[in-house]
Amino acid sequence: TKAGAEEAHFIPLLVYRSGPYAPNGIPIANGFIDYFTLLNERDGGIDGVKVTWEECETKYNTKVGVECYEKLKNKGTAGAALINPYSTGITYQLIPRAPVDKIPILSMGYGQTAAADGRIFKWVFNAPTTYWSQASAFIKYVGQQEGGMGKLKGKKIALVYHNSAYGKEPIPTLEALSKKFGYDLKLLAVDHPGQEQKATWLQIRRYKPDWTFMWGWGVMNQVALKEAAAINYPMDKFIGVWWSGTESDVVPAGDDAVGYKAGTFHAPGANTQLHKDVYKYVYGRGKGAGEKSRVGEVLWNRGMLNALVSAEAIRTAMGKFGKKAMSGEQVRWGMENLNLSKSRLKEVGLAGFTPPIKVTCADHEGNGPVIIQQWTGKEWKFVSDWISPMREVVRPMIEAAAAKFGKENNMTPRANCM
Amino acid sequence: MANGKKIGDVLLSVQNINLSFGGVQALVDVSFDVRKHEIFAIIGPNGAGKSSMLNVINGFYHPQGGTITYRGVTRARMRPHEAARQGIARTFQNIALFKGMSTLDNIMTGRNTLMSSNFVLQALHWGPAWKEEKAHREMAEEIIDFLQIEAIRKTPTGRLPYGLQKRVELGRALAAEPDLLLLDEPMAGMNLEEKEDMCRFILDVNDEFGTTIALIEHDMGVVMDISDRVAVLDYGRKIAEGTPGEVRVNQDVIDAYLGVSHD
Amino acid sequence: MSENGGPLLSVNNIEVIYDHVILVLKGVSLKVSEGGIVALLGANGAGKSTTLKSISNLLRAERGEVTKGSIEYKGERIEHSSAHELVQRGVIQVMEGRHVFEHLTVEENLMTGAYSRRDGSAAIKTDLDKVYHYFPRLKERRTAQAGYTSGGEQQMTSLGRALMASPTMILLDEPSMGLAPQLVEEIFDIVDALNKNEKVSFLLAEQNTMIALKYAGYGYVLENGRVVMDGDAATLRENEDIKEFYLGLDSSGRKSFRDIKNYRRRKRWLS
Amino acid sequence: MEALQAVFVLPFLDMAGEPLFFLEVIIGGLLTGVNYSLVALGFVLIFKASGVFNFSQGIMVLFAALTLVGLMERGVPVWLALVLTVLAMIALAFIVERFMLRFLVNQDEIILFMATIGLAFLLEGVGEIAWGADVKELDIGIPDKSFEVGGILLNEFDLFAAATGTVLVVGLAVFFHKTPIGRALRAVADDHQAALSVGIPLKTIWVVVWSVAGIVALAAGISWGAKSGVQFSLSLIALKALPVLLIGGFTSVPGAIIGGLIIGVGEKIAEIYWGPLVGGAIENWFAYMLALAFLLFRPQGLFGERIIERV
Amino acid sequence: MFYREAGQFKTTYAGDQAVFPILQDRAFVIAVILFAFLVVPFIADDYWFQAILIPFLVFSMAAIGLNLLTGYAGQLSLGTGGFMAVGGYMAYKMTTAFPDLNILIIFILAGLIAAVVGILFGIPSLRIKGFYLAVTTLAAQFFILWLFNKVPWFYNYFSSGVIAAPPRSVAGILVVGPASTPMVRYLVALSFVVVFTLAAKNLVRGRIGRSWMAIRDMDIAAEIIGIRPFQVKLLAFAISSFYCGVAGAMFLFLYLGSAETEAFNINVSFDVLFMIIIGGLGSILGSFLGAAFITLLPILLTNLPPHLGFSMPIDLQSHIEVITFGALIIFFLIVEPHGLARLWQIGKEKLRLWPFPY
Ligand SMILES: Nc1ncnc2c1ncn2[C@@H]1O[C@H](COP(=O)(O)OP(=O)(O)OP(=O)(O)O)[C@@H](O)[C@H]1O
Ligand SMILES: Nc1ncnc2c1ncn2[C@@H]1O[C@H](COP(=O)(O)OP(=O)(O)OP(=O)(O)O)[C@@H](O)[C@H]1O
Ligand SMILES: [Mg+2]
Ligand SMILES: [Mg+2]
């Protein structure tokens, strides 16, 4: 603890409020900040210790992100409590640095899936769920819709994906499941940025898939929706990853997007107690980070949930280490012992917003369930139940990938956690 | 041949060259010989095909017909850099210096064909490369002295006035220690005094190193005074060839080119 | 001053710097009277082209600047007028080194000269014919891409292009360069004709001193960025130094280029 | 053997096997191609008229579209917004000339290129400040329904864009080849200084050309923005226009359209019939490789001005 | 008054051909190098190493590489990112395949592979010139990245497609990998840069450098005086790509630590191009100045306003930053199109004349 300064948790915020991905970056960042502001305004911080943060603009650029990280990692009374990189590229940069700098990484719903194996990736957390879990949940959903997993045999599924590490994430899972359930899988890569997808959609028009999944990002999503509509593809058979299921993806596509579905791991809309508190304590006091009308957008909610998980990890750590600013090392422990139970969710005002999240030493993901939402033209609406991923398929894959990573980097799995 | 220097065998023989560009006949059935140690002038009105002739000789243009025999080897075409390696150097009508480089570097570049050390040695600037560089630098400095351009050794040539650029270009051509030197209007844009210097250089090169020279020039005073033989082109055809004295009084030449007889 | 009228163009004590550091003209003054032909003589690098470019304001394009002195045309300061304004007012420069538009045909090149004219296509056509009359070779090559024409043809093109602007004052930079001797005479005849018939004034930088002084009424000798001598053409022709160093005449008439054995020191009026 | 067959035989069998679909691919390629041409056209205009390779063309597309949408969002009627946007693009041309080009007369082309990159940054920042970073829906009331003709799927909006592109290209081709200003533009591209010396007003020329390029950018912005929404990625569309330039030639207006069509069709066919062999997403580099192949035969592109090599 | 050539007569050509013929220059350069090796490691903190110094060095290396090709040999290239990727990926492949091979040697080998790739993509330069060539080099950029992204062999079949620098030691000191200290990585980068800068400087002032410049200034004339354009251009592509390849390996191993193909995307190519244009085409010093300008300016622009007590929303600040960056580029080009190196030289010339104005 540095002398003289007031005790406060310090959270570096890598945000992207400018550049091509700003439409996504802005609501996420605002959700984050609004939640921390709420904590300070309503509760005077986390268990009495204030939260401070500093934004650093990354423009979604990996190099700038690293620069930001280096700049912020030692700030605050106890250094950075944890870091949310908010970009797959930056996450990968920080993964090797985390054990050295002793700052845990929370990459919620993105980043490296294999990091769910906490025995190798001691410092990285990707709760509540990962791309691989999500992909398996999509297949489950399709199975449900088709009337049972047995009906999957002979079905055709196309995956339209951003041609990058991020976009390729679901492929191993979908391929493994295709073997298991006997559906036909067609992979269609779309190169960054994805302004032009005529060839992709002509292929879909010919292939006539029963279902189409999309792992898209940025402008690629809107164009895909437009093109799908142009070939009269049934939108309710078109499901996007949770980064392709936000307002800024569907609104620009206008009516064409109606009926389109996407995965998510939390509710849309501003209907919980917590949202009310945000209106009251944050926007009511003129301290909102963005426009009030945008509270409750999908990405605002995700940013807020992300902030909440961070804060809960800090709170958990304070339970063990005492009422003071938490260091990265301490928050790592907090993360690893995080248990956001149903009752705790209710306490923080998020009843029904998201399923419970529980992280363990070995499992940094928690294998949380996924839900499908659909765009009505005005708002996102749940159209399924919470679907729990196929852990029996996904977890071994995660462990294998983690082991491989460990081997290449001379790391041995932690023995003391199962 | 007033000075009685020894003219040798045929060094370059151009036979029945035909060159056309689309509809334009730049050269029609042109033949002539250039002998060792000679100063051979090509004259003719604008657009007669003089520069094109030089371009053919050093391989920049490929004639549609005819042959070129240089040092006894006959060929129809070759790449310009091969011509350079066989000892043909030249200057250009529209100056073609390397504008971003200093005078010294331009001249050193002229010696490129004579240097051989490889890039690894050069990167290390070591042993043979270093010695080679130094030896060639000395030669380059000699040329600089000879042409009296010491003062502009380090100036980028793009900034030099026209006349000096021509002189540096001559230096660059000389640096290759050529057997055959092709000069395209080396004295254009010079005043009398500078022309006199230039003539001196050309004569000295011819005398001292025995370099054969083929030159194009519009200043009849110069041509008549320094060349041993003259060929006259008009509309791509050779209309006359002979000693300056013969050419000067040739009526075709007077009609096509000289206008009034020059003294 | 020779001939009729007051000064059309006067350059007063200008200083020119290239690239912020290279001082090239160190106080040059000269005058051209209405309908006059003035020759600018001097060795390579004396600053002739620079002087012309500072008048026509093409200097800026080479990162050069007139830092002192003034230039007046018809009594008005023109240091800050742009090149095209000057062309509209009748001052045009023929640049040294040809500068044809390579991708345009010869005729298109000539037509660009008429760009700022507003006197109708008939007048332009007449002038085009006139240029072709002066330079029949250009007429033959009118459809050739200028970049592929011979040196002399390019020189004619750039001269002809300037004539197409029907200027009142032409700044000629080495017009004779690269032209066959016959044509050189012809060019100066054209200069003379334009001067006599159409009252076009000329300021010409020319290395061919003999012919320049034959046609010019007045001459300036530049040396190292300064005017070191000026006078009527006739006077200059008789000057001993000019005779020796620019005209190559000594008491016994023209010397052969072959006979200049030792390198002489150059004549320098300064230093 | 099998690999050879997969590369050299099967794709063609595939094409022949489903001719209707093949036709659809070609039509899709052509329509996309026109859209590429629209972007490429902006480059051509400025390059032809000043020898400047205008890197900021992509941003100009974005900037125009942003301005249009921004105005419409503030309740300005479509036609008025269009007029105002055109005016804004003309104003931009004035500013660019006044504060940039004017000072860079006669500089190396790479320097001018670099300056336009600087300009791209500037416009990006200004655009974001002025109009915000959100994705905006662009709808100026052009129908975009799909319909089938003889089993071939067509889209109204695509057809509209194609028509606009054609009109623009024809208009500009006439402008360049039939007016004295066209000649002057080409002169400027060859040699700034000489153009000045014969009295061509560089400033006016530049303003005119940048204005026209701005208007072309607006057309491209509308056409692309309607599909992807107006947002910052729109500027990246410039990268898709570059191979078009290579094929058509940097200086040819008709070249831009032909190049666009070739690239459009070529990359679609490659992606659909050969892409799957190697895992797809080959469109991007394929377009460049295709262009490269053309260049090896004609280094100035199909219609570009001959590169002059002379001594 | 202190910057004087006068009195330093070069009595031998050797003296005149030294890298830095003027005493003050020589002393200055040596001082800078000593400072960088001996003092900087003790005064810089992690942030400086990691966010400023290492990227600066890596990009200087790449900028020198591109400057050899574009600034000296006149071949405009937008494929730098691609060639860097070759270096990075190949170094990764080699060090995972041969864990015992010295990592520094691997950097060089990676450079050599990049050189071969550079030659391949340089072949069109025989016929294609100027912006046409520049745009075709994008083919290299896109194709190489596509390949590394698509073929799993290049990223050792990791499902994520991300490659990470494994830990490797030289002489018992950990030089790469997550646990290596930034200071060590800085020193390694610095050593590479110093050695290869000298090599580049030697190349450009000798025969090869002159042939490059000749091709750049006038390729036809160069050929006519006996330079083989094809060979010379390919050599330029090879050596340039070698530098870029080594820079790419450094980029991955010394700076980023892990990367996917996106890290080498086209923006990298553009950044390096900015560096050499702003710094000065055809100037080794310019490569450094440009690298400093482009890597440091954005950082300065972000960090300066808060230090001066301005506070504004972060997005506004970022936009203003972009605007300022663009405006500064234009401003510098207008002030001196030949780049910072030329400004530096003019400064020296003025100093030499001082106190006389011309
Ligand atoms: N763009 C430039 N940058 C720097 N220096 C220049 C530039 N142009 C000319 N100079 C210098 O200015 C001086 C005068 O050049 P200028 O071209 O005016 O001479 P000139 O009298 O026309 O010579 P010439 O007879 O050879 O044409 C020369 O020393 C030249 O080196
Ligand atoms: N590459 C080319 N393409 C087309 N035409 C050409 C080419 N090279 C030369 N010509 C034409 O061939 C003719 C001869 O040109 P050349 O340059 O040989 O003339 P020249 O005798 O040197 O004239 P000058 O004395 O004017 O320099 C000219 O009409 C010219 O336009
Ligand atoms: Mg000629
Ligand atoms: Mg001159």
Side-chain angles (χ1 to χ4, degrees), chain C residues 48-49 96 173-174:
Chain C
K48 304 180 294 296
S49 303
E96 171 184 56
D173 204 347
E174 315 229 359

Side-chain angles (χ1 to χ4, degrees), chain A residues 66 70 97, chain E residues 36-37 39-58 181-187 189-190 254-255:
Chain A
V66 172
E70 293 293 337
R97 286 167 219 255
Chain E
F37 270 109
V39 183
V40 170
F42 298 101
I43 55 175
D45 57 12
D46 275 9
Y47 174 74
W48 269 85
F49 284 130
Q50 188 60 48
I52 296 179
L53 293 171
I54 296 178
F56 163 70
L57 288 170
V58 170
T181 67
M183 194 228 276
V184 171
R185 279 182 278 129
Y186 160 80
L187 287 173
L190 183 64
L254 301 178
Y255 174 42

